[in-house]
Amino acid sequence: MEKPALSLSDVTFAWPGKGGFSLSCPAFTVAQGERVLLLGASGSGKSTLLSLICGIVAAESGQVSVAGTELGSLSAGQRDRFRGEAIGVIFQQFNLLPYASVADNILLPLSFAPKRRDRAEGAMEAEALCRALDLPDGIMDQRAERLSVGQQQRVAVARALIGAPPLIVADEPASALDASTQERFLDLMFAQVAQAGSSLLMVSHDARLGARFDRVVEIDNILQAQKVAV
Amino acid sequence: MILRLAFRSLMARALTVGMTVLAIALSVALFLGVEKLRTGAKASFADTISGTDLIVGARSGSVQLLLYSVFRIGNVTNNVTWESYQDIAARPQVDWIVPISLGDSHRQFRVMGTTPAFFERYKYRGGRSLTFGAGQSLDDLYDTVIGADVAEALGYALDDPIVVSHGLASFSDHDDQPFRVAGILEKTGTPVDRTVIVGLEAIEAIHVDWKGAAKRPGQTTPVEEIRQMDLTPTAITAALIGTKSRLDIFGLQRWINTYRQEPLLAVLPGVALQELWQIVGVAERALIGVSAMVVVTALLGMMAMILSSLNERRREMAIWRAMGARPRTILGLLVLEAVLMAATGALLGALLLYAGLALARPAIDAAFGLWLPIDPPSGREAFTLAVVIGAAALSSLLPALRAYRLSLADGMMVRT
C-alpha cells in the first residue's frame, strides 16, 4: 500500500501562553498525487494547521506524517530539514526574496535539502519550470522585485516544484491575482503539479475553485478550534 | 549560494549598509592611523640618539638630563665643572667624550656649544651620522653649523651672519660677535634639526664681557683680543660618552654617579628614553582608548542598524524558514551579514589609511620630522582588523538572537 502524502490522526495542539489558540484534528489524509482543497475562513485555524503540517510546530499529541515520515519523531531542526526536502510551500504573496534573482529564489530550497538537490537538475530544471509556467525568457537573472505579482506567484510555483517534493502546500496562492489571471495561473500550476506527481493541499476561502480538485474539505469538518479561556 | 544571497541582501539596502560600512571604515582608519603614528613616533623617538653609551650632567633626574641634553627642552639647573669633565675624560674606559654647553639662543632655536667631534659621534636612527647638506664643520672660532629646520625657518644660507642672544628669551644680543653659517646639516628628524651649533670656545668668547646675566658696562673686549685669549671653559652643561667596551658602561656610570668632588649623574640614553616614553605613554594610551571607542561606536551603529531592519525583514525570514532554513540558519545569516559589513569596512579603512598616509606623509615629515613607513600591514594590524571583524560578529549576536526568537515564533506566517 502506498503511503499517503499527508496524514493526521488524533492531533492536538495549543499555542503557548495565555489566550492561546488550541485545535484538535481527529483525522485527515491526503493520498499520494491527490489534490485537495481545504475551505475555510480566516481564523479557522488554517495557519496553525499548516504550521503543524510543515513541522514549524510539533503536535502535543497524535501523529502528523508527511510522505511516511512521522514528524513527532524528529527534532525541531530535523523537521526544518525535512520541510525543505519534502514540502513545497506557496504563500498568498511576497513569496520571493526581493533582492535575489529568480534563479536563486527557485534554487533556494535545494540548499537546505541535499536529497531534493540530487533529484533536481539545478538551473536546467528551474529554467524548464519557468518555461512551462509561461514565464518570459531571460527572467532567470532578473531580480524578483522587478516581477509583476502574477510572475512572482508563478516563480513561487516553480520554487515549490523544483526537485518534485511529495507534497505541495499552497496558502491562497491565487487570491492576490485578479480574476482573469487567476484562471490562467491555476491552469499552469495544476499542470505542473500533475507533471511532478506531487500531492497538492491548497487552502482557500473560495469554494468556486472546487471543481478543479479531487476532493473539497471544509476545514470546520476536520478541525475543532477554540480560544482557550483565560 | 547563501553567501551570495547575504551579499545581495546587503546590496539591496545599499544606502544604510553603505553608511554603516563607511562608519566602520573611518573608525578603523582612525584606529590604525593612531597606531601607526604612535609606533612611528615611538620609533623616531627611540632613534633620537644612538651610539652614545652615557650622558653625563649635573645631578638631577635622568629624564630631565635627557630632556635638556638631547631634546633641548627645559632649563639647565647646574653645570659640570671643567675639572670634573677632564677627570671623566681621563678614565680608562672612555673611548670618546663630547662636551655640550647650552644656555644661549638664536631666535626660537637653542644654541649649543660643542666640539667638532660631535658631528662624528652623534648618531641617530640606529647609527646614522650627521651629514652636511651644504658647507662644512666648525673651523673658525665664529663658525656655526645650523640644523635643517633652522635654515629653513629662518631662510639662512651659507656665510649668512648670525647673532646669538644671551639666555633663552632675552633681548640682549651678543651682537658684538656675529657668527658665520659655515655648514647646514641634512634633516634628521631629531632635535639637531632645531639647533644652532657653535664651538665650545665660542660660547666662552661671547661671554668674555659678561658677568652672570648682565653685560659688564662700558667694556667691550675687541674680537682680536678675544681670539688671543685662553677660551677653555670653566664649566659645561653635559657630555656624551662612548666607552671602549659595552662591558665598561655600568662601571663608568657607577664611578661618575659616586664622584665625590661634584654631584654628577650619568644615564644610559636608551633607559632614559624609555622612562621618558613612559611619561608620554599616558597620552598615547589615552589616544588609543579614544580611537578604540570610535570603533566601538561604529559597531554599535551597525548593531542598531541591523536591529531596526529586523521588523521589516520578518517576511524574508519566514521565506527562509519555509524553504527549510532552521532558526539557527537565520541567526547565522545575520552574523554573516555583520561580518561582511565589518570586513568590507575594515578593508576599506585599511585602504583609506594607506591612501591618507601616502598623501600626508611628506607633510607629516616636514612638520614633525616624523617619517611614517608605508609597510604592508603588520601582524599587529592584521590582528586589529581581525578583532574588529570578530567584535562585529559578536555585537551582531544581539540582533541575530532577536531574529532567531522572532523566526521561531513566526514560523512561516508573520503575525503582527
Side-chain angles (χ1 to χ4, degrees):
Chain A
M1 188 192 118
E2 283 192 331
K3 291 171 198 150
L6 169 69
S7 102
L8 282 81
S9 63
D10 300 326
V11 172
T12 61
F13 175 79
W15 287 104
K18 278 185 195 169
F21 187 84
S22 80
L23 62 76
S24 61
C25 173
F28 178 59
T29 310
V30 176
Q32 215 173 64
E34 195 183 14
R35 289 163 297 182
V36 176
L37 177 65
L38 207 51
L39 279 177
S42 59
S44 56
K46 63 166 198 188
S47 298
T48 307
L49 183 66
L50 291 185
S51 291
L52 275 166
I53 292 170
C54 292
I56 294 280
V57 292
E60 270 165 23
S61 66
Q63 274 141 27
V64 179
S65 305
V66 174
T69 300
E70 161 58 32
L71 296 186
S73 66
L74 304 176
S75 70
Q78 285 170 327
R79 288 201 307 272
D80 287 332
R81 289 285 129 149
F82 182 76
R83 174 169 63 254
E85 291 282 7
I87 305 177
V89 181
I90 308 166
F91 298 116
Q92 187 172 356
Q93 55 181 339
F94 308 123
N95 265 288
L96 308 179
L97 299 176
Y99 47 80
S101 69
V102 167
D104 280 349
N105 264 297
I106 294 175
L107 296 173
L108 181 60
L110 301 186
S111 55
F112 300 107
K115 277 186 247 157
R116 192 170 160 190
R117 182 168 54 222
D118 292 344
R119 268 203 311 275
E121 283 152 40
M124 274 199 7
E125 186 178 338
E127 220 160 324
L129 279 165
C130 281
R131 223 173 300 125
L133 287 162
D134 208 13
L135 286 161
D137 286 342
I139 201 173
M140 297 291 282
D141 296 325
Q142 284 209 35
R143 288 206 325 198
E145 63 193 349
R146 299 272 172 86
L147 272 51
S148 70
V149 176
Q151 286 176 329
Q152 287 191 23
Q153 289 306 89
R154 277 179 278 160
V155 170
V157 171
R159 183 184 61 188
L161 282 168
I162 192 159
L167 179 64
I168 305 293
V169 172
D171 184 2
E172 308 242 22
S175 66
L177 310 176
D178 53 54
S180 58
T181 47
Q182 254 188 20
E183 286 294 316
R184 175 99 183 103
F185 170 78
L186 289 171
D187 286 346
L188 288 167
M189 182 170 90
F190 271 78
Q192 288 312 305
V193 170
Q195 175 85 27
S198 306
S199 307
L200 173 66
L201 176 65
M202 183 163 141
V203 181
S204 179
H205 60 275
D206 190 351
R208 290 170 303 170
L209 302 174
R212 296 172 174 272
F213 289 84
D214 299 328
R215 191 149 60 95
V216 178
V217 178
E218 291 279 344
I219 203 164
D220 293 339
N221 291 343
I222 60 157
L223 219 60
Q224 268 195 314
Q226 67 226 1
K227 279 259 181 199
V228 176
V230 182
Chain B
M1 171 110 165
I2 290 180
L3 187 72
R4 183 167 74 239
L5 288 179
F7 184 70
R8 286 272 177 86
S9 166
L10 289 175
M11 291 301 284
R13 289 169 284 146
L15 191 66
T16 46
V17 169
M19 284 309 197
T20 308
V21 166
L22 192 66
I24 295 173
L26 285 177
S27 73
V28 165
L30 178 70
F31 186 83
L32 289 182
V34 165
E35 184 70 12
K36 204 89 181 163
L37 267 181
R38 189 183 68 91
T39 46
K42 190 172 181 176
S44 131
F45 188 78
D47 282 345
T48 306
I49 183 166
S50 67
T52 295
D53 294 321
L54 286 172
I55 301 173
V56 185
R59 190 164 297 167
S60 55
S62 55
V63 169
Q64 198 189 358
L65 174 57
L66 184 78
L67 277 177
Y68 67 69
S69 66
V70 175
F71 291 93
R72 319 216 206 293
I73 296 171
N75 290 310
V76 184
T77 46
N78 241 324
N79 281 338
V80 178
T81 62
W82 188 247
E83 287 73 33
S84 304
Y85 170 76
Q86 283 188 309
D87 275 357
I88 296 166
R91 295 303 297 170
Q93 299 101 317
V94 173
D95 181 30
W96 55 264
I97 183 162
V98 173
I100 289 173
S101 190
L102 298 162
D104 285 339
S105 62
H106 174 70
R107 310 283 282 271
Q108 69 269 42
F109 300 106
R110 303 269 177 128
V111 172
M112 179 178 82
T114 185
T115 58
F118 178 82
F119 301 106
E120 295 155 36
R121 298 304 183 185
Y122 182 84
K123 299 270 181 5
Y124 67 102
R125 239 177 246 190
R128 267 200 253 178
S129 295
L130 299 173
T131 48
F132 286 88
Q136 52 189 354
S137 182
L138 304 170
D139 182 24
D140 183 68
L141 179 61
Y142 292 112
D143 274 355
T144 174
V145 170
I146 58 179
D149 287 354
V150 180
E152 200 192 313
L154 303 179
Y156 286 155
L158 283 185
D159 296 329
D160 281 354
I162 282 187
V163 169
V164 173
S165 310
H166 189 72
L168 296 180
S170 79
F171 299 103
S172 36
D173 292 339
H174 296 288
D175 47 7
D176 49 336
Q177 297 174 54
F179 285 84
R180 177 188 73 94
V181 176
I184 298 172
L185 292 170
E186 293 274 20
K187 194 163 177 70
T188 62
T190 70
V192 172
D193 294 344
R194 307 179 52 77
T195 307
V196 174
I197 299 169
V198 300
L200 197 60
E201 295 82 11
I203 297 283
E204 280 309 302
I206 56 179
H207 292 106
V208 163
D209 293 327
W210 291 64
K211 184 90 181 160
K215 200 170 179 183
R216 285 187 201 138
Q219 273 185 21
T220 304
T221 317
V223 170
E224 295 69 36
E225 202 173 308
I226 291 174
R227 283 185 184 277
Q228 304 305 316
M229 292 168 69
D230 173 20
L231 294 171
T232 307
T234 55
I236 58 166
T237 307
L240 310 179
I241 297 174
T243 56
K244 288 193 176 117
S245 151
R246 302 204 134 253
L247 299 173
D248 293 335
I249 296 175
F250 291 110
L252 182 63
Q253 184 188 26
R254 196 161 46 244
W255 186 85
I256 294 169
N257 284 343
T258 54
Y259 185 70
R260 287 191 174 280
Q261 281 79 350
E262 190 178 12
L264 295 178
L265 176 70
V267 298
L268 283 81
V271 175
L273 278 168
Q274 200 103 74
E275 269 180 56
L276 183 52
W277 186 255
Q278 272 168 11
I279 300 169
V280 182
V282 177
E284 166 210 53
R285 276 194 294 278
L287 210 58
I288 288 195
V290 169
S291 49
M293 288 314 288
V294 175
V295 175
V296 169
T297 311
L299 290 180
L300 279 176
M302 181 188 72
M303 193 163 103
M305 177 273 210
I306 298 179
L307 259 180
S308 68
S309 77
L310 283 189
N311 240 338
E312 56 198 73
R313 294 175 68 197
R314 282 168 86 171
R315 183 70 234 164
E316 182 190 329
M317 291 187 261
I319 295 170
W320 283 94
R321 287 300 308 280
M323 295 304 109
R326 302 178 204 191
R328 231 189 291 165
T329 312
I330 306 286
L331 184 136
L333 206 61
L334 285 172
V335 173
L336 179 68
E337 244 176 44
V339 166
L340 277 176
M341 280 192 275
T344 314
L347 277 176
L348 200 64
L351 279 177
L352 266 175
L353 172 72
Y354 280 109
L357 214 55
L359 282 175
R361 186 155 76 150
I364 292 174
D365 186 39
F368 307 110
L370 196 59
W371 185 250
L372 297 173
I374 297 186
D375 297 329
S378 66
R380 203 184 148 84
E381 283 165 333
F383 177 73
T384 307
L385 295 185
V387 165
V388 169
I389 295 170
L394 213 62
S395 65
S396 73
L397 275 181
L398 180 76
L401 280 170
R402 193 175 143 69
Y404 178 92
R405 281 206 311 275
L406 274 176
S407 76
L408 251 186
D410 283 353
M412 308 189 308
M413 327 288 165
V414 179
R415 268 184 300 277
T416 42

